[in-house]
Amino acid sequence: MKLPGTSAQVTPCIANNLGKEFQDAVPVVEHGNTPGSSEITIHAARGDMLGFVTVEPIASGGSAITFYDGQLYWPNRVTSGVFPDYARDNWHRAERAILLCGRDQPSAT
């Protein structure tokens, strides 16, 4: 997904919304691998990692946001080609959190 604003501008909003969606009181925000990027890690109440989000600057302006589910590998059992429900639910939560920040950004510019 793409959002207007630098990664420094959108990261706090995304971290706050992800914390609300995934019920993580303190999402971990770290510097990313590329200059000007950041990474937000979301943990479950029991301590397991639910997923992480990368926020990277785009050369044309704005930020590119990518969500990675904590279950990065398919389950060992056969799933009949159906996308696992836990990954689908996490994706929708992350998408909702990120889009709320995109809705708020244009009014600030």
Side-chain angles (χ1 to χ4, degrees), residues 1 13-24 42-45 48-53 65-69 83 85-101:
M1 289 180 255
C13 178
I14 294 172
N16 182 41
N17 288 347
L18 288 171
K20 290 177 185 174
E21 285 289 334
F22 289 97
Q23 299 176 356
D24 182 1
I42 310 139
H43 291 90
D48 292 336
M49 184 180 80
L50 292 175
F52 62 95
V53 174
I65 293 85
T66 308
F67 172 70
Y68 297 92
D69 190 48
F83 196 61
D85 286 337
Y86 59 79
R88 184 180 300 115
D89 292 342
N90 286 351
W91 167 254
H92 288 300
R93 289 178 179 179
E95 181 183 37
R96 190 170 34 244
I98 294 166
L99 290 178
L100 283 173
C101 291

Side-chain angles (χ1 to χ4, degrees), residues 6-82:
T6 65
S7 62
Q9 292 172 331
V10 299
T11 297
C13 178
I14 294 172
N16 182 41
N17 288 347
L18 288 171
K20 290 177 185 174
E21 285 289 334
F22 289 97
Q23 299 176 356
D24 182 1
V26 186
V28 178
V29 179
E30 300 175 324
H31 293 288
N33 292 333
T34 59
S37 67
S38 59
E39 186 176 296
I40 306 164
T41 307
I42 310 139
H43 291 90
R46 295 180 182 163
D48 292 336
M49 184 180 80
L50 292 175
F52 62 95
V53 174
T54 58
V55 183
E56 298 179 333
I58 302 173
S60 62
S63 298
I65 293 85
T66 308
F67 172 70
Y68 297 92
D69 190 48
Q71 302 289 334
L72 298 177
Y73 301 100
W74 290 98
N76 291 334
R77 63 184 185 277
V78 176
T79 58
S80 301
V82 177

